[in-house]
Amino acid sequence: AVTAMAPCWAVASLLLLLLALPPASAGLSGYFGTKSRYEEVNPHLVLDPLSLGPGAGESPPVTCAPLQLRAVLRHGTRYPTAGQVRRLGELHARLLRRPAEPTACPAAAALAAWPMWYEESLDGRLAPQGRRDMEQLARRLAARFPALFAARRRLALASSSKHRCLQSGAAFRRGLGPDLSLGGDEVEVQVNDSLMRFFDHCAKFVALVEENDAAMCQVSAFKEGPEMKKVLEKVAGALCLPVEELNADLVQVAFLTCSYELAIKNVTSPWCSLFSEEDAKVLEYLNDLKQYWKRGYGYDINSRSSCILFQDIFQHLDKAVEESKSSKPISSPLIVQVGHAETLQPLLALMGFFKDEEPLLANNFARQTHRKFRSGRIVPYAANLVFVLYHCDHMNASREEYQVQMLLNERPMSFHHCNETISTYADLKDYYRDILENCHFKEECELPKVNVTAVDEL
């Protein structure tokens, strides 16, 4: 009755406030690892998806003009893979086979009644929210760098061969509108797995990490450790199931279903009710352990295999510098490539970002509470690493004529060699000289001559 009598503007304000409130799963949402919404790293986007957010870091001098933007993106929000859907179906079927009394076991009764709408055919495809992620990211980048995204500028768009990446590339292009000069309204997204899925083409990585169970020994040990055991017993109790009927993988898929429902539908799933924030921290660590040992600092080959992409980035930056010095138009002012969390994470490790003093291990969960390596903060859905090259007039030294800025998820990153968010291009190349000159993909990725199955070779 009060609402009915309230002025129209008051009702509208109330609605806006309610819509802006975080869902009930917000207490868990900071711990979803690689299944995190992009809004977790940029909360201002919840209220305004086109907001550029609070300014952070230095800006280039006013005499600097952007010459080239090179962006490596992770695809937008996706559906679960077929394997995850199968595991969820298995868990859901167990609850249906053991009907629980709602009064005695409310969580189990609620989840048994939950409609299992995921199908294996969805298999990691881009969700409608994923298309919005990409369209809105494109619009924000265009607003941040209007000179580069101005009308009649050429966009080179590449992608991994995975459907979710191709669709993300197309959505990014749509977000820019029809004004870029692309030889027509539609730009063809070029498939480039050698750069966006370099890990598939690295025999040493595939044999010794990807397909080697021994390489994931820390992950396996944590699944059997005291922290996971405690979560397992708690979830089994909530579901009124014998603890023997559950394992770490099934508990993790229940937790990830909470994350999928939030990311895809913006709803709080009944699966979220099984977990506390403390449980979420344990399950996040399990996700991060896998990322660390498979894509991060665990083994050198994880990051060294990405040098083919790293070198390609600098080859295009070099070309833009040469064209600028020759007063030629920049042939590739905008290069956007869409890949995976597995594309970005090794690249950032190669560059030395988010490295902890102590490695992530099965037995140091408590000591890693404040770790830098948190995959949900680094590579959520729609994660993006952007290099921007500037030409600067009226500089004191020729080394300062070309400068570069790097943004991760639209926030300026401080470079290791100068602790600033703007670096001269020459200094940046000097810092990474060894990788640029001495990382050879073919040689790095060759399998050792002897048949090695142990991780010593790594």
Side-chain angles (χ1 to χ4, degrees):
V2 174
T3 307
M5 295 189 301
C8 188
W9 61 265
V11 176
S13 299
L14 180 61
L15 278 172
L16 282 171
L17 181 62
L18 289 170
L19 288 169
L21 287 174
S25 52
L28 308 179
S29 63
Y31 305 102
F32 289 147
T34 53
K35 308 299 183 289
S36 295
R37 301 182 302 169
Y38 189 66
E39 287 81 2
E40 298 305 320
V41 294
N42 283 313
H44 58 272
L45 298 177
V46 174
L47 280 175
D48 180 3
L50 298 180
S51 165
L52 299 187
E58 310 107 277
S59 296
V62 289
T63 55
C64 298
L67 289 182
Q68 185 182 70
L69 179 144
R70 172 70 173 264
V72 182
L73 318 180
R74 183 192 179 191
H75 57 77
T77 303
R78 66 163 173 83
Y79 291 110
T81 61
Q84 289 161 335
V85 173
R86 269 194 301 276
R87 280 193 290 278
L88 177 59
E90 182 188 334
L91 180 56
H92 193 241
R94 288 185 191 190
L95 297 174
L96 292 172
R97 282 198 301 270
R98 288 174 171 268
E101 283 293 323
T103 49
C105 209
L111 288 168
W114 173 79
M116 170 61 183
W117 64 275
Y118 296 101
E119 297 175 359
E120 288 186 36
S121 60
L122 290 170
D123 196 22
R125 287 180 170 259
L126 196 68
Q129 178 58 46
R131 294 187 185 89
R132 288 190 288 274
D133 291 338
M134 289 290 119
E135 288 174 4
Q136 290 161 358
L137 174 61
R139 291 174 67 183
R140 291 193 302 272
L141 285 176
R144 194 182 294 273
F145 301 103
L148 282 176
F149 285 87
R152 317 316 294 167
R153 300 304 293 270
R154 181 176 173 272
L155 167 68
L157 194 53
S159 163
S160 118
S161 57
K162 293 290 183 182
H163 194 269
R164 56 185 170 272
C165 295
L166 289 163
Q167 285 204 328
S168 290
F172 185 93
R173 173 67 190 86
R174 274 197 307 278
L176 295 176
D179 292 335
L180 293 182
S181 174
L182 303 160
D185 284 348
E186 291 302 317
V187 58
E188 186 180 346
V189 182
Q190 299 289 332
V191 171
N192 192 337
D193 277 345
S194 64
L195 290 183
M196 292 296 97
R197 294 184 65 84
F198 50 78
F199 40 88
D200 281 347
H201 301 262
C202 184
K204 185 175 181 181
F205 170 78
V206 171
L208 299 186
V209 182
E210 182 79 61
E211 296 177 354
N212 180 13
D213 290 343
M216 294 298 107
C217 60
Q218 295 297 328
V219 179
S220 302
F222 189 73
K223 285 180 179 180
E224 304 297 327
E227 294 89 2
M228 273 304 298
K229 189 180 177 192
K230 189 176 171 186
V231 175
L232 204 65
E233 289 171 348
K234 183 187 162 191
V235 171
L239 294 177
C240 296
L241 287 174
V243 74
E244 303 78 42
E245 283 203 21
L246 288 181
N247 58 38
D249 291 338
L250 288 175
V251 168
Q252 192 175 35
V253 86
F255 182 61
L256 292 180
T257 303
C258 171
S259 79
Y260 283 123
E261 303 269 274
L262 178 63
I264 294 167
K265 295 172 133 186
N266 197 29
V267 298
T268 300
S269 170
W271 292 97
C272 303
S273 68
L274 298 175
F275 304 99
S276 68
E277 191 170 349
E278 288 309 305
D279 302 330
K281 289 175 182 176
V282 173
L283 289 159
E284 179 198 26
Y285 193 69
L286 176 59
N287 187 325
D288 285 351
L289 267 178
K290 181 182 173 186
Q291 290 295 317
Y292 183 89
W293 289 98
K294 209 167 200 173
R295 308 294 177 183
Y297 291 104
Y299 303 111
D300 281 347
I301 191 59
N302 299 349
S303 58
R304 296 291 286 183
S305 63
S306 74
C307 68
I308 188 171
L309 174 57
F310 186 71
Q311 289 165 340
D312 187 78
I313 289 168
F314 277 82
Q315 284 162 11
H316 279 94
L317 292 169
D318 281 347
K319 188 179 179 188
V321 168
E322 288 166 20
E323 289 170 339
S324 168
K325 284 180 174 175
S326 307
S327 301
K328 293 178 182 173
I330 306 303
S331 53
S332 300
L334 291 172
I335 304 171
V336 175
Q337 297 165 312
V338 189
H340 307 263
E342 297 89 341
T343 311
L344 279 167
Q345 193 85 74
L347 183 63
L348 288 161
L350 185 72
M351 298 177 72
F353 289 102
F354 307 106
K355 187 172 186 178
D356 294 286
E357 288 182 19
E358 192 179 352
L360 273 64
L361 301 169
N363 63 2
N364 65 0
F365 166 72
R367 291 200 302 279
Q368 292 287 11
T369 302
H370 302 294
R371 65 189 179 279
K372 297 173 188 172
F373 193 92
R374 290 186 66 198
S375 58
R377 301 282 157 190
I378 305 167
V379 286
Y381 294 125
N384 50 89
L385 180 64
V386 176
F387 293 81
V388 187
L389 177 70
Y390 294 90
H391 177 254
C392 304
D393 291 328
H394 313 303
M395 286 295 143
N396 297 329
S398 60
R399 280 180 72 85
E400 295 177 359
E401 188 179 352
Y402 294 94
Q403 301 193 22
V404 67
Q405 183 183 39
M406 193 167 68
L407 298 95
L408 178 65
N409 301 327
E410 300 173 77
R411 296 186 175 198
M413 297 262 282
S414 289
F415 292 105
H416 292 305
H417 61 279
C418 62
N419 261 342
E420 294 175 353
T421 59
I422 303 287
S423 166
T424 69
Y425 184 54
D427 286 349
L428 184 64
K429 283 187 69 176
D430 282 348
Y431 184 74
Y432 288 115
R433 184 173 302 282
D434 181 61
I435 300 170
L436 291 171
E437 293 180 357
N438 300 314
C439 186
H440 306 288
F441 183 81
K442 190 180 174 189
E443 288 81 356
E444 298 281 346
C445 288
E446 260 181 353
L447 270 171
K449 295 292 182 274
V450 290
N451 185 19
V452 180
T453 54
V455 295
D456 300 348
E457 176 62 31
L458 296 161

